[in-house]
PDB file of all heavy atoms in Angstrom:
ATOM      1  N   VAL A  14       7.528   1.692  12.285  1.00 98.00           N
ATOM      2  CA  VAL A  14       7.110   0.752  11.261  1.00 98.00           C
ATOM      3  C   VAL A  14       5.628   0.451  11.478  1.00 98.00           C
ATOM      4  O   VAL A  14       5.201   0.238  12.617  1.00 98.00           O
ATOM      5  CB  VAL A  14       7.941  -0.558  11.349  1.00 98.00           C
ATOM      6  CG1 VAL A  14       7.424  -1.593  10.388  1.00 98.00           C
ATOM      7  CG2 VAL A  14       9.427  -0.270  11.131  1.00 98.00           C
ATOM      8  N   ALA A  15       4.867   0.369  10.400  1.00 97.00           N
ATOM      9  CA  ALA A  15       3.477  -0.021  10.498  1.00 97.00           C
ATOM     10  C   ALA A  15       3.454  -1.548  10.696  1.00 97.00           C
ATOM     11  O   ALA A  15       3.456  -2.338   9.737  1.00 97.00           O
ATOM     12  CB  ALA A  15       2.713   0.341   9.226  1.00 97.00           C
ATOM     13  N   GLU A  16       3.486  -1.954  11.958  1.00 96.00           N
ATOM     14  CA  GLU A  16       3.662  -3.367  12.294  1.00 96.00           C
ATOM     15  C   GLU A  16       2.573  -4.272  11.729  1.00 96.00           C
ATOM     16  O   GLU A  16       2.785  -5.418  11.426  1.00 96.00           O
ATOM     17  CB  GLU A  16       3.814  -3.554  13.787  1.00 96.00           C
ATOM     18  CG  GLU A  16       5.144  -2.965  14.286  1.00 96.00           C
ATOM     19  CD  GLU A  16       5.387  -3.231  15.770  1.00 96.00           C
ATOM     20  OE1 GLU A  16       4.931  -4.264  16.259  1.00 96.00           O
ATOM     21  OE2 GLU A  16       6.049  -2.389  16.380  1.00 96.00           O
ATOM     22  N   GLY A  17       1.368  -3.726  11.575  1.00 95.00           N
ATOM     23  CA  GLY A  17       0.275  -4.491  11.006  1.00 95.00           C
ATOM     24  C   GLY A  17       0.532  -4.904   9.546  1.00 95.00           C
ATOM     25  O   GLY A  17      -0.124  -5.802   9.033  1.00 95.00           O
ATOM     26  N   ASP A  18       1.442  -4.196   8.917  1.00 96.00           N
ATOM     27  CA  ASP A  18       1.780  -4.484   7.499  1.00 96.00           C
ATOM     28  C   ASP A  18       2.868  -5.558   7.377  1.00 96.00           C
ATOM     29  O   ASP A  18       3.200  -5.980   6.290  1.00 96.00           O
ATOM     30  CB  ASP A  18       2.239  -3.227   6.804  1.00 96.00           C
ATOM     31  CG  ASP A  18       1.129  -2.192   6.604  1.00 96.00           C
ATOM     32  OD1 ASP A  18      -0.010  -2.547   6.901  1.00 96.00           O
ATOM     33  OD2 ASP A  18       1.431  -1.059   6.186  1.00 96.00           O
ATOM     34  N   LEU A  19       3.418  -6.012   8.507  1.00 97.00           N
ATOM     35  CA  LEU A  19       4.424  -7.072   8.514  1.00 97.00           C
ATOM     36  C   LEU A  19       3.714  -8.415   8.569  1.00 97.00           C
ATOM     37  O   LEU A  19       3.588  -9.041   9.603  1.00 97.00           O
ATOM     38  CB  LEU A  19       5.376  -6.912   9.708  1.00 97.00           C
ATOM     39  CG  LEU A  19       6.167  -5.606   9.738  1.00 97.00           C
ATOM     40  CD1 LEU A  19       6.998  -5.546  11.021  1.00 97.00           C
ATOM     41  CD2 LEU A  19       7.062  -5.480   8.535  1.00 97.00           C
ATOM     42  N   ARG A  20       3.234  -8.817   7.410  1.00 95.00           N
ATOM     43  CA  ARG A  20       2.411 -10.040   7.302  1.00 95.00           C
ATOM     44  C   ARG A  20       3.211 -11.204   6.787  1.00 95.00           C
ATOM     45  O   ARG A  20       3.723 -11.153   5.635  1.00 95.00           O
ATOM     46  CB  ARG A  20       1.217  -9.726   6.400  1.00 95.00           C
ATOM     47  CG  ARG A  20       0.337  -8.616   6.967  1.00 95.00           C
ATOM     48  CD  ARG A  20      -0.700  -8.136   5.996  1.00 95.00           C
ATOM     49  NE  ARG A  20      -1.578  -9.210   5.573  1.00 95.00           N
ATOM     50  CZ  ARG A  20      -2.428  -9.099   4.565  1.00 95.00           C
ATOM     51  NH1 ARG A  20      -2.540  -7.952   3.881  1.00 95.00           N
ATOM     52  NH2 ARG A  20      -3.166 -10.118   4.209  1.00 95.00           N
ATOM     53  N   PRO A  21       3.375 -12.261   7.561  1.00 94.00           N
ATOM     54  CA  PRO A  21       4.163 -13.391   7.138  1.00 94.00           C
ATOM     55  C   PRO A  21       3.420 -14.213   6.073  1.00 94.00           C
ATOM     56  O   PRO A  21       2.218 -14.134   5.961  1.00 94.00           O
ATOM     57  CB  PRO A  21       4.365 -14.218   8.417  1.00 94.00           C
ATOM     58  CG  PRO A  21       3.217 -13.832   9.280  1.00 94.00           C
ATOM     59  CD  PRO A  21       2.871 -12.402   8.927  1.00 94.00           C
ATOM     60  N   ALA A  22       4.200 -14.966   5.323  1.00 95.00           N
ATOM     61  CA  ALA A  22       3.619 -15.844   4.300  1.00 95.00           C
ATOM     62  C   ALA A  22       4.525 -17.071   4.188  1.00 95.00           C
ATOM     63  O   ALA A  22       5.727 -16.986   4.499  1.00 95.00           O
ATOM     64  CB  ALA A  22       3.522 -15.131   2.962  1.00 95.00           C
ATOM     65  N   LYS A  23       3.961 -18.168   3.707  1.00 91.00           N
ATOM     66  CA  LYS A  23       4.733 -19.374   3.535  1.00 91.00           C
ATOM     67  C   LYS A  23       4.827 -19.848   2.075  1.00 91.00           C
ATOM     68  O   LYS A  23       5.759 -20.481   1.689  1.00 91.00           O
ATOM     69  CB  LYS A  23       4.125 -20.517   4.370  1.00 91.00           C
ATOM     70  CG  LYS A  23       4.231 -20.265   5.859  1.00 91.00           C
ATOM     71  CD  LYS A  23       3.620 -21.421   6.634  1.00 91.00           C
ATOM     72  CE  LYS A  23       3.696 -21.142   8.118  1.00 91.00           C
ATOM     73  NZ  LYS A  23       2.957 -22.080   8.902  1.00 91.00           N
ATOM     74  N   THR A  24       3.805 -19.510   1.292  1.00 92.00           N
ATOM     75  CA  THR A  24       3.769 -19.963  -0.094  1.00 92.00           C
ATOM     76  C   THR A  24       3.806 -18.803  -1.043  1.00 92.00           C
ATOM     77  O   THR A  24       3.520 -17.638  -0.650  1.00 92.00           O
ATOM     78  CB  THR A  24       2.474 -20.763  -0.369  1.00 92.00           C
ATOM     79  OG1 THR A  24       1.360 -19.870  -0.282  1.00 92.00           O
ATOM     80  CG2 THR A  24       2.296 -21.902   0.619  1.00 92.00           C
ATOM     81  N   LEU A  25       4.122 -19.100  -2.264  1.00 91.00           N
ATOM     82  CA  LEU A  25       4.140 -18.036  -3.307  1.00 91.00           C
ATOM     83  C   LEU A  25       2.761 -17.381  -3.429  1.00 91.00           C
ATOM     84  O   LEU A  25       2.655 -16.153  -3.492  1.00 91.00           O
ATOM     85  CB  LEU A  25       4.554 -18.616  -4.677  1.00 91.00           C
ATOM     86  CG  LEU A  25       4.495 -17.629  -5.853  1.00 91.00           C
ATOM     87  CD1 LEU A  25       5.390 -16.407  -5.593  1.00 91.00           C
ATOM     88  CD2 LEU A  25       4.907 -18.344  -7.123  1.00 91.00           C
ATOM     89  N   ASP A  26       1.685 -18.193  -3.381  1.00 92.00           N
ATOM     90  CA  ASP A  26       0.344 -17.642  -3.492  1.00 92.00           C
ATOM     91  C   ASP A  26       0.063 -16.685  -2.338  1.00 92.00           C
ATOM     92  O   ASP A  26      -0.507 -15.593  -2.534  1.00 92.00           O
ATOM     93  CB  ASP A  26      -0.675 -18.763  -3.510  1.00 92.00           C
ATOM     94  CG  ASP A  26      -2.034 -18.293  -4.061  1.00 92.00           C
ATOM     95  OD1 ASP A  26      -2.023 -17.597  -5.093  1.00 92.00           O
ATOM     96  OD2 ASP A  26      -3.046 -18.621  -3.430  1.00 92.00           O
ATOM     97  N   GLU A  27       0.434 -17.070  -1.113  1.00 95.00           N
ATOM     98  CA  GLU A  27       0.252 -16.153   0.050  1.00 95.00           C
ATOM     99  C   GLU A  27       1.053 -14.882  -0.105  1.00 95.00           C
ATOM    100  O   GLU A  27       0.558 -13.781   0.169  1.00 95.00           O
ATOM    101  CB  GLU A  27       0.684 -16.861   1.338  1.00 95.00           C
ATOM    102  CG  GLU A  27      -0.258 -17.943   1.838  1.00 95.00           C
ATOM    103  CD  GLU A  27       0.282 -18.668   3.051  1.00 95.00           C
ATOM    104  OE1 GLU A  27       1.477 -18.500   3.415  1.00 95.00           O
ATOM    105  OE2 GLU A  27      -0.515 -19.432   3.652  1.00 95.00           O
ATOM    106  N   ILE A  28       2.307 -15.023  -0.580  1.00 95.00           N
ATOM    107  CA  ILE A  28       3.141 -13.884  -0.776  1.00 95.00           C
ATOM    108  C   ILE A  28       2.522 -12.899  -1.769  1.00 95.00           C
ATOM    109  O   ILE A  28       2.447 -11.701  -1.521  1.00 95.00           O
ATOM    110  CB  ILE A  28       4.559 -14.312  -1.235  1.00 95.00           C
ATOM    111  CG1 ILE A  28       5.330 -14.928  -0.082  1.00 95.00           C
ATOM    112  CG2 ILE A  28       5.344 -13.149  -1.824  1.00 95.00           C
ATOM    113  CD1 ILE A  28       6.607 -15.652  -0.477  1.00 95.00           C
ATOM    114  N   LEU A  29       2.062 -13.417  -2.872  1.00 95.00           N
ATOM    115  CA  LEU A  29       1.452 -12.561  -3.864  1.00 95.00           C
ATOM    116  C   LEU A  29       0.163 -11.935  -3.372  1.00 95.00           C
ATOM    117  O   LEU A  29      -0.059 -10.718  -3.559  1.00 95.00           O
ATOM    118  CB  LEU A  29       1.198 -13.369  -5.175  1.00 95.00           C
ATOM    119  CG  LEU A  29       2.465 -13.864  -5.878  1.00 95.00           C
ATOM    120  CD1 LEU A  29       2.102 -14.756  -7.071  1.00 95.00           C
ATOM    121  CD2 LEU A  29       3.363 -12.712  -6.290  1.00 95.00           C
ATOM    122  N   ASN A  30      -0.696 -12.720  -2.731  1.00 96.00           N
ATOM    123  CA  ASN A  30      -1.964 -12.180  -2.215  1.00 96.00           C
ATOM    124  C   ASN A  30      -1.744 -11.061  -1.208  1.00 96.00           C
ATOM    125  O   ASN A  30      -2.372  -9.991  -1.261  1.00 96.00           O
ATOM    126  CB  ASN A  30      -2.826 -13.283  -1.597  1.00 96.00           C
ATOM    127  CG  ASN A  30      -3.450 -14.185  -2.647  1.00 96.00           C
ATOM    128  OD1 ASN A  30      -3.655 -13.769  -3.797  1.00 96.00           O
ATOM    129  ND2 ASN A  30      -3.738 -15.404  -2.268  1.00 96.00           N
ATOM    130  N   ILE A  31      -0.834 -11.302  -0.251  1.00 97.00           N
ATOM    131  CA  ILE A  31      -0.560 -10.303   0.775  1.00 97.00           C
ATOM    132  C   ILE A  31      -0.041  -9.022   0.137  1.00 97.00           C
ATOM    133  O   ILE A  31      -0.489  -7.907   0.463  1.00 97.00           O
ATOM    134  CB  ILE A  31       0.430 -10.853   1.802  1.00 97.00           C
ATOM    135  CG1 ILE A  31      -0.238 -11.859   2.717  1.00 97.00           C
ATOM    136  CG2 ILE A  31       1.097  -9.731   2.609  1.00 97.00           C
ATOM    137  CD1 ILE A  31       0.709 -12.665   3.601  1.00 97.00           C
ATOM    138  N   ASN A  32       0.896  -9.157  -0.778  1.00 97.00           N
ATOM    139  CA  ASN A  32       1.519  -7.957  -1.347  1.00 97.00           C
ATOM    140  C   ASN A  32       0.593  -7.218  -2.295  1.00 97.00           C
ATOM    141  O   ASN A  32       0.656  -5.997  -2.383  1.00 97.00           O
ATOM    142  CB  ASN A  32       2.863  -8.309  -1.983  1.00 97.00           C
ATOM    143  CG  ASN A  32       3.893  -8.556  -0.889  1.00 97.00           C
ATOM    144  OD1 ASN A  32       4.252  -7.666  -0.149  1.00 97.00           O
ATOM    145  ND2 ASN A  32       4.359  -9.790  -0.765  1.00 97.00           N
ATOM    146  N   ILE A  33      -0.287  -7.914  -2.987  1.00 97.00           N
ATOM    147  CA  ILE A  33      -1.299  -7.262  -3.800  1.00 97.00           C
ATOM    148  C   ILE A  33      -2.191  -6.432  -2.888  1.00 97.00           C
ATOM    149  O   ILE A  33      -2.511  -5.264  -3.164  1.00 97.00           O
ATOM    150  CB  ILE A  33      -2.109  -8.252  -4.645  1.00 97.00           C
ATOM    151  CG1 ILE A  33      -1.240  -8.828  -5.783  1.00 97.00           C
ATOM    152  CG2 ILE A  33      -3.361  -7.632  -5.203  1.00 97.00           C
ATOM    153  CD1 ILE A  33      -1.785 -10.067  -6.492  1.00 97.00           C
ATOM    154  N   GLU A  34      -2.663  -7.047  -1.803  1.00 98.00           N
ATOM    155  CA  GLU A  34      -3.516  -6.302  -0.842  1.00 98.00           C
ATOM    156  C   GLU A  34      -2.821  -5.068  -0.288  1.00 98.00           C
ATOM    157  O   GLU A  34      -3.398  -3.998  -0.170  1.00 98.00           O
ATOM    158  CB  GLU A  34      -3.937  -7.213   0.295  1.00 98.00           C
ATOM    159  CG  GLU A  34      -4.919  -8.286  -0.063  1.00 98.00           C
ATOM    160  CD  GLU A  34      -5.154  -9.290   1.074  1.00 98.00           C
ATOM    161  OE1 GLU A  34      -4.838  -8.972   2.251  1.00 98.00           O
ATOM    162  OE2 GLU A  34      -5.655 -10.406   0.788  1.00 98.00           O
ATOM    163  N   GLU A  35      -1.553  -5.236   0.066  1.00 97.00           N
ATOM    164  CA  GLU A  35      -0.802  -4.117   0.624  1.00 97.00           C
ATOM    165  C   GLU A  35      -0.545  -3.033  -0.404  1.00 97.00           C
ATOM    166  O   GLU A  35      -0.537  -1.844  -0.061  1.00 97.00           O
ATOM    167  CB  GLU A  35       0.521  -4.609   1.247  1.00 97.00           C
ATOM    168  CG  GLU A  35       0.326  -5.481   2.508  1.00 97.00           C
ATOM    169  CD  GLU A  35      -0.299  -4.722   3.662  1.00 97.00           C
ATOM    170  OE1 GLU A  35      -0.081  -3.499   3.812  1.00 97.00           O
ATOM    171  OE2 GLU A  35      -1.035  -5.365   4.488  1.00 97.00           O
ATOM    172  N   GLU A  36      -0.316  -3.393  -1.646  1.00 98.00           N
ATOM    173  CA  GLU A  36      -0.165  -2.389  -2.703  1.00 98.00           C
ATOM    174  C   GLU A  36      -1.461  -1.624  -2.898  1.00 98.00           C
ATOM    175  O   GLU A  36      -1.439  -0.380  -3.065  1.00 98.00           O
ATOM    176  CB  GLU A  36       0.296  -3.004  -4.021  1.00 98.00           C
ATOM    177  CG  GLU A  36       1.697  -3.562  -4.010  1.00 98.00           C
ATOM    178  CD  GLU A  36       2.797  -2.517  -3.829  1.00 98.00           C
ATOM    179  OE1 GLU A  36       2.538  -1.317  -3.965  1.00 98.00           O
ATOM    180  OE2 GLU A  36       3.934  -2.927  -3.566  1.00 98.00           O
ATOM    181  N   GLU A  37      -2.595  -2.305  -2.856  1.00 98.00           N
ATOM    182  CA  GLU A  37      -3.890  -1.640  -2.967  1.00 98.00           C
ATOM    183  C   GLU A  37      -4.073  -0.637  -1.841  1.00 98.00           C
ATOM    184  O   GLU A  37      -4.545   0.481  -2.054  1.00 98.00           O
ATOM    185  CB  GLU A  37      -5.033  -2.663  -2.983  1.00 98.00           C
ATOM    186  CG  GLU A  37      -5.077  -3.455  -4.302  1.00 98.00           C
ATOM    187  CD  GLU A  37      -6.031  -4.625  -4.248  1.00 98.00           C
ATOM    188  OE1 GLU A  37      -6.518  -5.034  -3.132  1.00 98.00           O
ATOM    189  OE2 GLU A  37      -6.314  -5.194  -5.315  1.00 98.00           O
ATOM    190  N   LYS A  38      -3.699  -1.059  -0.653  1.00 97.00           N
ATOM    191  CA  LYS A  38      -3.801  -0.162   0.511  1.00 97.00           C
ATOM    192  C   LYS A  38      -2.905   1.066   0.352  1.00 97.00           C
ATOM    193  O   LYS A  38      -3.319   2.187   0.630  1.00 97.00           O
ATOM    194  CB  LYS A  38      -3.421  -0.971   1.773  1.00 97.00           C
ATOM    195  CG  LYS A  38      -3.646  -0.197   3.044  1.00 97.00           C
ATOM    196  CD  LYS A  38      -3.509  -1.138   4.246  1.00 97.00           C
ATOM    197  CE  LYS A  38      -2.150  -0.935   4.878  1.00 97.00           C
ATOM    198  NZ  LYS A  38      -1.926  -1.748   6.063  1.00 97.00           N
ATOM    199  N   ALA A  39      -1.668   0.844  -0.110  1.00 98.00           N
ATOM    200  CA  ALA A  39      -0.756   1.954  -0.343  1.00 98.00           C
ATOM    201  C   ALA A  39      -1.287   2.906  -1.397  1.00 98.00           C
ATOM    202  O   ALA A  39      -1.207   4.138  -1.226  1.00 98.00           O
ATOM    203  CB  ALA A  39       0.618   1.411  -0.704  1.00 98.00           C
ATOM    204  N   ILE A  40      -1.780   2.372  -2.480  1.00 98.00           N
ATOM    205  CA  ILE A  40      -2.308   3.206  -3.555  1.00 98.00           C
ATOM    206  C   ILE A  40      -3.427   4.104  -3.021  1.00 98.00           C
ATOM    207  O   ILE A  40      -3.490   5.304  -3.289  1.00 98.00           O
ATOM    208  CB  ILE A  40      -2.783   2.341  -4.732  1.00 98.00           C
ATOM    209  CG1 ILE A  40      -1.569   1.689  -5.442  1.00 98.00           C
ATOM    210  CG2 ILE A  40      -3.608   3.165  -5.742  1.00 98.00           C
ATOM    211  CD1 ILE A  40      -1.934   0.531  -6.398  1.00 98.00           C
ATOM    212  N   ALA A  41      -4.356   3.499  -2.265  1.00 98.00           N
ATOM    213  CA  ALA A  41      -5.448   4.291  -1.671  1.00 98.00           C
ATOM    214  C   ALA A  41      -4.938   5.385  -0.754  1.00 98.00           C
ATOM    215  O   ALA A  41      -5.424   6.540  -0.820  1.00 98.00           O
ATOM    216  CB  ALA A  41      -6.410   3.348  -0.910  1.00 98.00           C
ATOM    217  N   LEU A  42      -3.942   5.078   0.074  1.00 98.00           N
ATOM    218  CA  LEU A  42      -3.395   6.085   0.973  1.00 98.00           C
ATOM    219  C   LEU A  42      -2.746   7.217   0.175  1.00 98.00           C
ATOM    220  O   LEU A  42      -3.032   8.374   0.438  1.00 98.00           O
ATOM    221  CB  LEU A  42      -2.365   5.450   1.921  1.00 98.00           C
ATOM    222  CG  LEU A  42      -1.608   6.451   2.828  1.00 98.00           C
ATOM    223  CD1 LEU A  42      -2.576   7.186   3.748  1.00 98.00           C
ATOM    224  CD2 LEU A  42      -0.526   5.715   3.586  1.00 98.00           C
ATOM    225  N   TYR A  43      -1.930   6.863  -0.791  1.00 98.00           N
ATOM    226  CA  TYR A  43      -1.245   7.897  -1.560  1.00 98.00           C
ATOM    227  C   TYR A  43      -2.212   8.738  -2.395  1.00 98.00           C
ATOM    228  O   TYR A  43      -2.015   9.952  -2.498  1.00 98.00           O
ATOM    229  CB  TYR A  43      -0.173   7.300  -2.459  1.00 98.00           C
ATOM    230  CG  TYR A  43       1.079   6.947  -1.698  1.00 98.00           C
ATOM    231  CD1 TYR A  43       1.504   5.623  -1.621  1.00 98.00           C
ATOM    232  CD2 TYR A  43       1.822   7.908  -1.046  1.00 98.00           C
ATOM    233  CE1 TYR A  43       2.646   5.305  -0.902  1.00 98.00           C
ATOM    234  CE2 TYR A  43       2.953   7.598  -0.317  1.00 98.00           C
ATOM    235  CZ  TYR A  43       3.353   6.278  -0.267  1.00 98.00           C
ATOM    236  OH  TYR A  43       4.489   5.951   0.445  1.00 98.00           O
ATOM    237  N   LYS A  44      -3.256   8.128  -2.905  1.00 98.00           N
ATOM    238  CA  LYS A  44      -4.246   8.891  -3.673  1.00 98.00           C
ATOM    239  C   LYS A  44      -4.974   9.883  -2.763  1.00 98.00           C
ATOM    240  O   LYS A  44      -5.274  11.013  -3.154  1.00 98.00           O
ATOM    241  CB  LYS A  44      -5.246   7.990  -4.372  1.00 98.00           C
ATOM    242  CG  LYS A  44      -4.682   7.366  -5.615  1.00 98.00           C
ATOM    243  CD  LYS A  44      -5.753   6.538  -6.324  1.00 98.00           C
ATOM    244  CE  LYS A  44      -5.232   6.020  -7.625  1.00 98.00           C
ATOM    245  NZ  LYS A  44      -6.255   5.242  -8.363  1.00 98.00           N
ATOM    246  N   SER A  45      -5.250   9.488  -1.515  1.00 98.00           N
ATOM    247  CA  SER A  45      -5.889  10.409  -0.573  1.00 98.00           C
ATOM    248  C   SER A  45      -4.957  11.569  -0.213  1.00 98.00           C
ATOM    249  O   SER A  45      -5.406  12.714  -0.056  1.00 98.00           O
ATOM    250  CB  SER A  45      -6.398   9.670   0.675  1.00 98.00           C
ATOM    251  OG  SER A  45      -5.330   9.293   1.513  1.00 98.00           O
ATOM    252  N   ILE A  46      -3.685  11.271  -0.057  1.00 98.00           N
ATOM    253  CA  ILE A  46      -2.703  12.348   0.225  1.00 98.00           C
ATOM    254  C   ILE A  46      -2.583  13.257  -0.977  1.00 98.00           C
ATOM    255  O   ILE A  46      -2.607  14.489  -0.861  1.00 98.00           O
ATOM    256  CB  ILE A  46      -1.335  11.708   0.587  1.00 98.00           C
ATOM    257  CG1 ILE A  46      -1.408  11.020   1.924  1.00 98.00           C
ATOM    258  CG2 ILE A  46      -0.249  12.804   0.563  1.00 98.00           C
ATOM    259  CD1 ILE A  46      -0.183  10.167   2.256  1.00 98.00           C
ATOM    260  N   TRP A  47      -2.468  12.661  -2.150  1.00 97.00           N
ATOM    261  CA  TRP A  47      -2.283  13.411  -3.401  1.00 97.00           C
ATOM    262  C   TRP A  47      -3.439  14.387  -3.635  1.00 97.00           C
ATOM    263  O   TRP A  47      -3.217  15.517  -4.078  1.00 97.00           O
ATOM    264  CB  TRP A  47      -2.152  12.400  -4.530  1.00 97.00           C
ATOM    265  CG  TRP A  47      -1.730  12.927  -5.855  1.00 97.00           C
ATOM    266  CD1 TRP A  47      -0.602  13.631  -6.173  1.00 97.00           C
ATOM    267  CD2 TRP A  47      -2.400  12.741  -7.101  1.00 97.00           C
ATOM    268  NE1 TRP A  47      -0.550  13.884  -7.498  1.00 97.00           N
ATOM    269  CE2 TRP A  47      -1.674  13.356  -8.098  1.00 97.00           C
ATOM    270  CE3 TRP A  47      -3.592  12.099  -7.431  1.00 97.00           C
ATOM    271  CZ2 TRP A  47      -2.043  13.354  -9.437  1.00 97.00           C
ATOM    272  CZ3 TRP A  47      -3.974  12.087  -8.781  1.00 97.00           C
ATOM    273  CH2 TRP A  47      -3.214  12.709  -9.741  1.00 97.00           C
ATOM    274  N   ALA A  48      -4.646  13.953  -3.291  1.00 96.00           N
ATOM    275  CA  ALA A  48      -5.816  14.797  -3.506  1.00 96.00           C
ATOM    276  C   ALA A  48      -5.803  16.057  -2.630  1.00 96.00           C
ATOM    277  O   ALA A  48      -6.461  17.056  -2.933  1.00 96.00           O
ATOM    278  CB  ALA A  48      -7.086  13.988  -3.201  1.00 96.00           C
ATOM    279  N   GLU A  49      -5.019  16.035  -1.575  1.00 95.00           N
ATOM    280  CA  GLU A  49      -4.943  17.166  -0.656  1.00 95.00           C
ATOM    281  C   GLU A  49      -3.823  18.151  -0.989  1.00 95.00           C
ATOM    282  O   GLU A  49      -3.698  19.177  -0.345  1.00 95.00           O
ATOM    283  CB  GLU A  49      -4.721  16.690   0.776  1.00 95.00           C
ATOM    284  CG  GLU A  49      -5.853  15.869   1.334  1.00 95.00           C
ATOM    285  CD  GLU A  49      -5.570  15.334   2.721  1.00 95.00           C
ATOM    286  OE1 GLU A  49      -4.606  15.807   3.376  1.00 95.00           O
ATOM    287  OE2 GLU A  49      -6.301  14.430   3.153  1.00 95.00           O
ATOM    288  N   ILE A  50      -3.010  17.819  -1.981  1.00 96.00           N
ATOM    289  CA  ILE A  50      -1.867  18.663  -2.294  1.00 96.00           C
ATOM    290  C   ILE A  50      -2.234  19.662  -3.412  1.00 96.00           C
ATOM    291  O   ILE A  50      -2.613  19.253  -4.513  1.00 96.00           O
ATOM    292  CB  ILE A  50      -0.665  17.816  -2.764  1.00 96.00           C
ATOM    293  CG1 ILE A  50      -0.303  16.773  -1.701  1.00 96.00           C
ATOM    294  CG2 ILE A  50       0.542  18.706  -3.113  1.00 96.00           C
ATOM    295  CD1 ILE A  50       0.700  15.724  -2.164  1.00 96.00           C
ATOM    296  N   PRO A  51      -2.097  20.954  -3.128  1.00 94.00           N
ATOM    297  CA  PRO A  51      -2.343  21.923  -4.200  1.00 94.00           C
ATOM    298  C   PRO A  51      -1.296  21.725  -5.316  1.00 94.00           C
ATOM    299  O   PRO A  51      -0.115  21.462  -5.047  1.00 94.00           O
ATOM    300  CB  PRO A  51      -2.129  23.285  -3.530  1.00 94.00           C
ATOM    301  CG  PRO A  51      -2.037  23.009  -2.045  1.00 94.00           C
ATOM    302  CD  PRO A  51      -1.704  21.581  -1.905  1.00 94.00           C
ATOM    303  N   GLU A  52      -1.731  21.868  -6.561  1.00 86.00           N
ATOM    304  CA  GLU A  52      -0.807  21.693  -7.683  1.00 86.00           C
ATOM    305  C   GLU A  52       0.331  22.720  -7.656  1.00 86.00           C
ATOM    306  O   GLU A  52       1.332  22.525  -8.295  1.00 86.00           O
ATOM    307  CB  GLU A  52      -1.554  21.768  -9.006  1.00 86.00           C
ATOM    308  CG  GLU A  52      -2.412  20.514  -9.252  1.00 86.00           C
ATOM    309  CD  GLU A  52      -3.080  20.496 -10.595  1.00 86.00           C
ATOM    310  OE1 GLU A  52      -2.480  20.948 -11.585  1.00 86.00           O
ATOM    311  OE2 GLU A  52      -4.215  20.039 -10.670  1.00 86.00           O
ATOM    312  N   THR A  53       0.160  23.769  -6.905  1.00 93.00           N
ATOM    313  CA  THR A  53       1.231  24.786  -6.767  1.00 93.00           C
ATOM    314  C   THR A  53       2.416  24.237  -5.959  1.00 93.00           C
ATOM    315  O   THR A  53       3.514  24.773  -6.047  1.00 93.00           O
ATOM    316  CB  THR A  53       0.713  26.070  -6.121  1.00 93.00           C
ATOM    317  OG1 THR A  53       0.123  25.739  -4.836  1.00 93.00           O
ATOM    318  CG2 THR A  53      -0.301  26.803  -7.002  1.00 93.00           C
ATOM    319  N   GLU A  54       2.171  23.180  -5.178  1.00 95.00           N
ATOM    320  CA  GLU A  54       3.222  22.510  -4.451  1.00 95.00           C
ATOM    321  C   GLU A  54       3.800  21.411  -5.352  1.00 95.00           C
ATOM    322  O   GLU A  54       3.653  20.221  -5.116  1.00 95.00           O
ATOM    323  CB  GLU A  54       2.687  21.894  -3.147  1.00 95.00           C
ATOM    324  CG  GLU A  54       2.171  22.892  -2.146  1.00 95.00           C
ATOM    325  CD  GLU A  54       3.275  23.658  -1.457  1.00 95.00           C
ATOM    326  OE1 GLU A  54       4.401  23.185  -1.408  1.00 95.00           O
ATOM    327  OE2 GLU A  54       2.972  24.783  -0.997  1.00 95.00           O
ATOM    328  N   VAL A  55       4.453  21.860  -6.399  1.00 96.00           N
ATOM    329  CA  VAL A  55       4.844  20.983  -7.511  1.00 96.00           C
ATOM    330  C   VAL A  55       5.707  19.820  -7.058  1.00 96.00           C
ATOM    331  O   VAL A  55       5.446  18.680  -7.443  1.00 96.00           O
ATOM    332  CB  VAL A  55       5.576  21.800  -8.624  1.00 96.00           C
ATOM    333  CG1 VAL A  55       6.076  20.922  -9.726  1.00 96.00           C
ATOM    334  CG2 VAL A  55       4.650  22.886  -9.136  1.00 96.00           C
TER     335      VAL A  55
END
């Protein structure tokens, strides 16, 4: 498990902020992976 991504929160605002940041991080990671995949690997 990526333990650094296990970020606690107490309020709705904290929950939303943390998860928005983590989604942005995930999107960036997946886009970098996606860019390395030849389209022939459908």
